Amino acid sequence: MTNAITLLAAGEGESQNPLLPATYDIVWSIVCVVIIGFLFWKYVVPRFQTVLAERSELIEGGIKKAEQAQAEAKAALEQYHAQLADARSEAAQIREEARTQGQAILAEMKEKAQEESDRIVAAGHNQLVAQRQQIVTELRGDLGRTAVELAEKVIGEQLSDDAKRSSSIDRFLNELDSVTADSASGK
């Protein structure tokens, strides 16, 4: 046992824990980490922060642009809807004006057609009156001659004298007119 104790006492000074590194390794490792940390803090972190700031500004700017574009699109859509409503209103007004003008034109055409019809009827009536007058005149002449011939045959004398003939014809026609007027009035 004494041997074992002596061995242990001698081994304690020489043996090291395998899980812990040597002291000089720890010191040099700390120096390297401090130097790398300092360089990282001095050069890398500011660049990293600059890049992050630029990206965040870019993202924020993109968001602002997107919001602005969305607002512009919404305003354009509202303007489009307003123009569409105005166009529909204007189209309805144009249709109504066209309908009113069409009705006015139709009324004017009817009026012109009625005037033309009245003019044609009046011209036809005037023509009929003129033709009737002409026929009555011709018939009176023919009737007068026929009456004179018949009267000559009945009376047996010549009615060649114009005065006698005229008075006989006028008397006969007056009697004929009175008979026609009496029959027309219902007597």
Side-chain angles (χ1 to χ4, degrees), residues 2 17 20 33 39 45 47 57 64 69 88 106-107 109 125 136 138-139 149 162 169 185:
T2 50
N17 187 355
L20 290 175
V33 166
L39 291 175
V45 169
R47 285 196 179 194
E57 285 177 13
K64 286 180 184 178
R88 285 181 179 161
L106 184 62
M109 294 298 276
H125 180 68
V136 166
E138 288 176 7
L139 283 177
E149 289 173 6
D162 285 337
I169 291 172
S185 65

Side-chain angles (χ1 to χ4, degrees), residues 1-78:
M1 242 225 228
T2 50
N3 267 348
I5 293 179
T6 49
L7 270 177
L8 276 176
E12 267 184 30
E14 291 178 15
S15 104
Q16 233 184 6
N17 187 355
L19 295 178
L20 290 175
T23 309
Y24 68 89
D25 284 337
I26 292 175
V27 171
W28 281 112
S29 294
I30 289 175
V31 169
C32 287
V33 166
V34 168
I35 292 173
I36 290 175
F38 176 76
L39 291 175
F40 188 77
W41 183 259
K42 184 74 175 171
Y43 296 107
V44 174
V45 169
R47 285 196 179 194
F48 187 69
Q49 287 178 343
T50 304
V51 168
L52 284 179
E54 287 175 359
R55 286 196 180 181
S56 93
E57 285 177 13
L58 226 153
I59 290 171
E60 288 175 6
I63 290 172
K64 286 180 184 178
K65 285 181 183 178
E67 289 174 351
Q68 185 179 10
Q70 187 176 10
E72 289 174 1
K74 188 175 181 180
L77 181 64
E78 289 174 1

Side-chain angles (χ1 to χ4, degrees), residues 169-182:
I169 291 172
D170 287 340
R171 185 173 31 99
F172 178 74
L173 289 176
N174 286 337
E175 288 175 10
L176 185 63
D177 283 340
S178 66
V179 169
T180 307
D182 289 343

Side-chain angles (χ1 to χ4, degrees), residues 142-160:
D142 287 344
L143 190 60
R145 271 183 261 134
T146 307
V148 168
E149 289 173 6
L150 284 174
E152 285 176 350
K153 287 181 184 177
V154 169
I155 297 176
E157 67 179 71
Q158 277 253 342
L159 296 175
S160 58

